[in-house]
Amino acid sequence: MSEGLLYFKEVYDVVPGWVQKMHDYSPNALDHYTNLRSNIMQEGALTKKEKDILLVGMNAARLYERSMVYHTKGAMDGGATLPELVEYLIVSYLYNGTKALKTGIKSLEYALELKGIRYPEGSGHKETTEEILLYMIELLGDEETGFVSNVLKLVKSGDQNSLKDYILSDSVVSKRLKHLLMTGIFITELKGKQVGEWMEVARVNGASEEQLAEVGLICLLTAGIPAWFEASDSLIENK
C-alpha cells in the first residue's frame, strides 16, 4: 500500500473511496495532497483537535455532511468532548440556521457511534430549531446540557441579538475559537468582505494572526485554493 493510502487509512481506519480513486488515477497527485494535508493538520498555533473540530463546524454551516463526518472522527480521536462538539455545531446556526443544525445532528450521532453509545435515531423527524435542540439535549444524556438549554430558551424568546451574543460567548468552547469558526465559515463560502470583518472581531477576542492563518489553511483543505485567496486578503502581512 502506498504512503498516501497508508496515511488516510491511519486517519480514517479505512481508505475512503475518493482517496483510492485519486491514487488510481494519479498517485503522484495523492502524494502531494497527502503531504499538504499532513503539514496543514499538524500541531501549530492551533492544535490538531481544534483544526478538526473547526472543520466540523464549518462544514455543518455550509451543509457539507461528508467532510463534516470525516472531521468528526478526527476531533473525537483528538479528545473532543460531546459538549464541545455541540457548541461548535450550534455556532453554525448563526450562518445557516435550522438547516445547519439539522446537518450538524449527523456529526453528533456519529460521535456517539464512535464512543459506542446507543441513541434513539430521530434526527430525520426533527424539522424546527426547537425540536433539534431538544434532540441534542436528549443525545447528550448525562453530559452537560446547560449551554444547549440556554440557547433553546433564547430561541423561544425570539431575541436574536441576545441569542447571537450568547452563542458566541465563553462556555465549554472559548469565544476566541467560536470567532475563529465564524471566520472560517465565511472563508469557505468565499465571502471576502465578511471574512475581513470576522477576522477583526476574532482578533479583538484573542485570536492571533498565526491562528487566523491556520484557519485559512484548513479551509483550503475543505473548500480549495480559492478559500486561501479569501483568507489571505485579510491577513496582516508577516514581515
Side-chain angles (χ1 to χ4, degrees):
M1 186 176 287
S2 75
E3 185 176 328
L5 294 178
L6 285 170
Y7 171 83
F8 282 98
K9 190 173 191 305
E10 182 178 338
V11 171
Y12 298 127
D13 292 335
V14 297
V15 177
W18 65 269
V19 173
Q20 184 64 58
K21 286 180 181 178
M22 185 180 286
H23 174 267
D24 293 344
Y25 284 99
S26 181
N28 191 47
L30 179 62
D31 287 342
H32 284 296
Y33 177 73
T34 300
N35 289 332
L36 177 66
R37 188 191 189 282
S38 177
N39 277 288
I40 288 175
M41 291 300 291
Q42 68 185 348
E43 300 279 323
L46 296 169
T47 66
K48 185 180 182 303
K49 182 195 86 171
E50 288 170 341
K51 292 175 180 181
D52 270 311
I53 205 165
L54 282 165
L55 283 164
V56 171
M58 291 176 206
N59 284 301
R62 65 191 188 114
L63 314 181
Y64 187 29
E65 184 180 325
R66 183 193 301 203
S67 186
M68 177 191 72
V69 168
Y70 280 140
H71 288 286
T72 297
K73 184 178 188 307
M76 299 307 292
D77 286 349
T81 66
L82 296 176
E84 271 184 295
L85 178 64
V86 165
E87 283 197 29
Y88 280 92
L89 295 172
I90 287 177
V91 170
S92 73
Y93 172 80
L94 296 177
Y95 181 77
N96 230 335
T98 305
K99 291 185 292 184
L101 286 184
K102 193 165 185 179
T103 300
I105 280 291
K106 303 295 185 182
S107 170
L108 180 55
E109 289 176 336
Y110 182 52
L112 289 169
E113 289 176 19
L114 292 172
K115 292 173 73 69
I117 299 174
R118 295 177 64 87
Y119 61 88
E121 297 184 37
S123 60
H125 304 291
K126 312 302 179 185
E127 297 296 335
T128 69
T129 299
E130 292 180 20
E131 287 174 335
I132 295 169
L133 291 170
L134 283 169
Y135 184 54
M136 281 184 164
I137 291 170
E138 183 181 1
L139 292 181
L140 282 170
D142 295 331
E143 300 277 0
E144 172 58 45
T145 60
F147 181 82
V148 190
S149 296
N150 288 333
V151 169
L152 178 58
K153 290 176 186 175
L154 287 166
V155 168
K156 289 180 177 179
S157 77
D159 186 345
Q160 293 300 310
N161 289 331
S162 295
L163 175 62
K164 178 182 177 183
D165 289 343
Y166 182 73
I167 289 175
L168 292 175
S169 67
D170 283 317
S171 188
V172 175
V173 179
S174 71
K175 60 184 179 182
R176 172 182 61 86
L177 284 165
K178 290 176 180 179
H179 283 84
L180 286 172
L181 173 53
M182 288 301 295
T183 301
I185 290 169
F186 283 96
I187 292 172
T188 59
E189 291 289 85
L190 309 181
K191 296 184 177 179
K193 180 177 182 295
Q194 292 94 330
V195 170
E197 293 168 353
W198 279 103
M199 276 196 184
E200 283 301 316
V201 181
R203 292 180 183 107
V204 170
N205 282 280
S208 70
E209 213 61 27
E210 290 77 14
Q211 290 168 342
L212 288 166
E214 290 192 4
V215 167
L217 288 168
I218 63 174
C219 289
L220 180 159
L221 293 177
T222 197
I225 193 65
W228 177 250
F229 297 163
E230 299 298 329
S232 64
D233 284 347
S234 296
L235 287 168
I236 296 172
E237 188 174 349
N238 187 9
K239 296 181 179 180

